[in-house]
Amino acid sequence: MSVVISDEILQASGLTLDEFRQEIALHLFQIGRLSLGYASQLADMKPSAFRQFLKQRNIPLYSYDVDDFELDLKNLRELGRL
C-alpha cells in the first residue's frame, strides 16, 4: 500500500520528504504503534541510525512505566526476592 502526501502538505510542514517520513516513524515508535524495526524501515534508516535518531531526540528505546514496575515488584515478591 502506498500513501500519497500532497506537495501542499509537505510544503506546509516545512520538512523534506525524508524528514517527514522520519517524523512519522518517530511518532509511531514513540506511541508504541511501530517496533524499532518497522519504524526504521518507514524512516528509511538502518536500525542503528534510527536508534541514534531516537537518542538525539531524547526518546527512550524502551518504555518502562509504573505498570511495568508494579508487575516487576509483584513477580519479585512471588519469587521471594523482596
Side-chain angles (χ1 to χ4, degrees):
M1 178 175 118
S2 296
V3 175
V4 177
I5 299 164
S6 72
D7 291 337
E8 182 181 1
I9 291 174
L10 191 60
Q11 186 176 12
S13 74
L15 302 169
T16 66
L17 181 57
D18 288 339
E19 291 169 336
F20 196 86
R21 289 170 53 119
Q22 291 169 357
E23 292 299 325
I24 292 170
L26 184 72
H27 176 71
L28 292 174
F29 175 81
Q30 192 171 15
I31 65 171
R33 299 299 301 219
L34 285 181
S35 67
L36 177 72
Y38 283 125
S40 61
Q41 250 184 334
L42 177 59
D44 197 25
M45 301 171 84
K46 292 181 179 179
S48 58
F50 192 74
R51 282 193 295 274
Q52 186 64 32
F53 185 51
L54 293 172
K55 185 177 180 180
Q56 291 169 350
R57 296 292 188 89
N58 294 317
I59 296 170
L61 187 55
Y62 302 103
S63 174
Y64 188 79
D65 60 18
V66 173
D67 290 337
D68 294 325
F69 179 69
E70 288 174 349
L71 181 59
D72 283 346
L73 286 176
K74 177 183 170 278
N75 290 334
L76 287 170
R77 284 187 187 106
E78 288 176 1
L79 292 170
R81 296 189 178 179
L82 272 182

